[in-house]
Amino acid sequence: MRLTIDTETDTYEQAIGAVQAAYGMRPVIPADWPEAPAVDPRPDPQDLSSNDIGGGWSDQALFRMVASLMPGARAVLRRITALGGTASYDEVQQYFAGHPTNPIPPTKIGGTLTSVQAVQRRMGPAGSDRLLQRDERARLYHIDRVLVEGLKRVFAFADTRPDLLRS
């Protein structure tokens, strides 16, 4: 059973009435009680598309992957997505070296991103290409354009439901 009481809009009497109703007790409802506001249903990962957007990936599959990543890897993936899907190693290292909430030393970026491949092996579609590709010679990270668009949708969804992300 899930009981939600909004301490900013619900009165004490409404909260007690909700608890009593949850346990099958019949509360006496005062005549002057205002109706509780309708609660908007929270978005669910099932609300994301399950259609293939490329390489076996769907928005749901991308969300499962992003939700399973360590926070540092998720932050780096979000940054590369925000840059359009292509970023140089130096650009990513400099951005996170002085980042106020997710600082990652330049020598640790590669290690942080190893979890992307590990999680993809577990959570990603079978036989799919790497979500995050690395070009060692050009020192670039790259994500296919179609997956960048899917990741943008996934990160927007993740912002509404951070409780579903690995912490």
Side-chain angles (χ1 to χ4, degrees):
M1 169 182 9
R2 178 180 282 176
L3 178 66
T4 304
I5 297 171
D6 186 342
T7 58
E8 292 181 10
T9 60
D10 295 341
T11 64
Y12 174 77
E13 291 81 13
Q14 287 172 318
I16 294 299
V19 171
Q20 289 174 337
Y23 285 96
M25 305 166 106
R26 296 188 179 264
V28 177
I29 300 172
D32 63 341
W33 246 18
E35 284 295 316
V39 178
D40 290 333
R42 296 182 75 186
D44 187 80
Q46 298 304 319
D47 297 335
L48 294 169
S49 173
S50 60
N51 297 333
D52 188 330
I53 59 174
W57 289 100
S58 67
D59 287 353
Q60 287 182 9
L62 286 170
F63 179 77
R64 283 193 307 272
M65 174 145 172
V66 166
S68 299
L69 289 173
M70 296 296 288
R74 187 180 315 121
V76 173
L77 193 61
R78 182 183 287 243
R79 177 66 181 164
I80 295 168
T81 299
L83 294 172
T86 302
S88 72
Y89 286 12
D90 294 334
E91 186 174 24
V92 172
Q93 289 172 349
Q94 289 172 1
Y95 179 81
F96 283 99
H99 198 273
T101 57
N102 288 316
I104 303 172
T107 58
K108 302 281 184 181
I109 291 285
T112 299
L113 291 176
T114 58
S115 71
V116 173
Q117 274 70 34
V119 169
Q120 181 175 343
R121 280 193 300 274
R122 264 194 359 252
M123 307 293 291
S128 64
D129 289 337
R130 287 185 169 190
L131 173 67
L132 179 63
Q133 301 163 21
R134 299 179 197 191
D135 183 341
E136 298 293 333
R137 269 190 309 163
R139 297 185 46 81
L140 290 175
Y141 297 110
H142 178 73
I143 302 170
D144 290 336
R145 168 65 54 202
V146 67
L147 297 179
V148 168
E149 296 306 317
L151 284 169
K152 286 179 182 178
R153 291 187 297 272
V154 164
F155 283 123
F157 178 82
D159 289 342
T160 65
R161 291 296 306 270
D163 56 307
L164 298 176
L165 304 177
R166 181 178 183 179
S167 56

